[in-house]
Amino acid sequence: MNKKKVICPGSFDPVTLGHLDIITRASKMFDCVYVAALVNSSKNPSFSIEERMELMREAVRELDNVQVVSFEGLLAEYCRKNNIDAIVKGLRAVSDFEYEFQMAIANKKLYPQLETIFLTADSDSMYLSSSMVREIGRYGGDISNFVPACVHDRIVARLRETNGK
Ligand code: ADP
């Protein structure tokens, strides 16, 4: 049987409950989910690629069909090489849409079999972003409603080290 493999790409700098919601839902819909952390994010990440992957691994530990990987370069090429059928992304608001729509079309041009599937963000986490978590955490604010409980303390400790930087 042809198993459906999908990929959830992102910076995950750091993982939030919004990411985890999309990944959990994808894991129920598809046979195999790759969570791919972008190595060279143009966003100049606060957490190293190893840290971002480690935190994500901990967060998805209980999801048996989810694997955390890293990737560099073109996502469409990564998908072609690894026989991935679709990209799964979360859409938070209309503001996410235009960029995501462009990316989805570009990826389909590069690899015509590749679909992009959008899941609507959960109403509880649709306002959440990694940058918001970083800002609040850096200045000592409470981020317990924003990140998975199992990695909360590690994220807090790490953000306090970079306080204000
Ligand atoms: P961020 O925008 O928080 O830096 P990423 O670039 O790591 O996040 O995003 C990776 C993927 O997760 C994207 O598809 C993005 O739309 C999705 N995503 C991010 N935050 C949320 C959220 N709060 N709810 C649903 N999806 C989200």
Side-chain angles (χ1 to χ4, degrees), residues 9-12 16 18-19 22 43 89-90 92 96 100 121 125-126 128-130:
S11 317
F12 309 121
T16 69
H19 298 138
I22 297 294
K43 293 178 182 167
K89 303 216 78 181
R92 279 166 286 195
D96 278 348
E100 294 295 350
S125 54
M126 64 175 293
L128 249 183
S129 66
S130 296

Side-chain angles (χ1 to χ4, degrees), residues 53-118:
M53 288 175 73
E54 224 177 287
L55 292 168
M56 181 59 86
R57 278 205 187 98
E58 188 64 35
V60 300
R61 189 186 281 268
E62 281 166 19
L63 302 172
D64 291 339
N65 58 343
V66 175
Q67 264 188 69
V68 180
V69 297
S70 64
F71 89 98
E72 237 175 327
L74 288 177
L75 182 60
E77 284 311 313
Y78 186 89
C79 292
R80 192 199 303 271
K81 278 191 200 124
N82 292 282
N83 294 315
I84 290 167
D85 303 285
I87 300 169
V88 174
K89 303 216 78 181
L91 269 190
R92 279 166 286 195
V94 182
S95 52
D96 278 348
F97 183 77
E98 194 165 342
Y99 173 74
E100 294 295 350
F101 191 64
Q102 267 183 355
M103 291 289 293
I105 292 172
N107 282 325
K108 207 158 177 29
K109 294 268 182 223
L110 292 168
Y111 180 28
Q113 272 161 264
L114 186 63
E115 295 294 345
T116 300
I117 297 167
F118 294 108

